[in-house]
């Protein structure tokens, strides 16, 4: 059963993926990361996007929505960013950045769900 490092390595095999990490929504810290570019630091991006996760959880609470977030998609001009909270571990989420021109969004979401199922913490 894959650990964090192996799961992140598998995540980078998703077509179009160039950066991935497993982050803690409470602290903003990464438990592990892979990839990135000179202009895109995945750990900084994940820390900043903890606010997105917290805001969505707060909105769901205010609205009385008793459900879980499967994923949050942020679509940029040249990139997709997928935030996927772990179903089995509250407060942790995968954060994956993909090149929009080469990614298949449906397949990326499917593969990320499969990788999450195999993750052992």
């Amino acid at each position: 059963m894959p650990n964090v490092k192996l799961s992140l390595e598998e995540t980078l095999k998703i077509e179009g993926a160039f950066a991935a990490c497993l982050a803690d929504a409470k602290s903003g810290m990464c438990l592990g990361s892979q990839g990135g570019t000179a202009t895109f630091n995945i750990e900084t991006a994940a820390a900043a996007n903890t606010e997105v996760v917290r805001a969505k959880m707060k909105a769901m609470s205010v609205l009385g929505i008793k459900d879980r977030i499967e994923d949050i998609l942020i679509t940029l001009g040249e990139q997709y960013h997928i935030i996927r909270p772990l179903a089995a571990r509250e407060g942790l989420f995968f954060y994956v950045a993909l090149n929009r021109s080469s990614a298949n969004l449906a397949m990326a979401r499917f593969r990320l769900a499969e990788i999450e199922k195999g993750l052992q913490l």
Side-chain angles (χ1 to χ4, degrees), residues 8-56:
L8 292 170
E9 288 172 359
E10 282 300 307
T11 302
L12 280 187
K13 292 178 185 175
I14 295 171
E15 190 172 349
F18 66 90
C21 75
L22 181 65
D24 178 2
K26 294 173 186 149
S27 69
M29 301 296 291
C30 285
L31 297 161
S33 65
Q34 294 278 322
T37 67
T39 59
F40 185 87
N41 182 300
I42 187 66
E43 293 182 4
T44 302
N49 277 282
T50 59
E51 294 302 321
V52 172
V53 175
R54 291 178 195 156
K56 185 58 186 170

Side-chain angles (χ1 to χ4, degrees), residues 41-105:
N41 182 300
I42 187 66
E43 293 182 4
T44 302
N49 277 282
T50 59
E51 294 302 321
V52 172
V53 175
R54 291 178 195 156
K56 185 58 186 170
M57 292 173 74
K58 183 177 179 181
M60 289 173 61
S61 176
V62 167
L63 295 169
I65 298 172
K66 306 269 191 251
D67 205 348
R68 68 180 275 286
I69 299 169
E70 186 173 323
D71 60 32
I72 299 168
L73 172 64
I74 301 167
T75 305
L76 304 176
E78 296 180 359
Q79 299 174 359
Y80 292 125
H81 292 204
I82 301 173
I83 299 168
R84 183 176 179 87
L86 300 187
R89 193 72 178 259
E90 187 176 335
L92 298 182
F93 64 92
F94 275 120
Y95 185 85
V96 183
L98 304 108
N99 288 311
R100 190 170 173 175
S101 63
S102 59
N104 177 325
L105 185 55

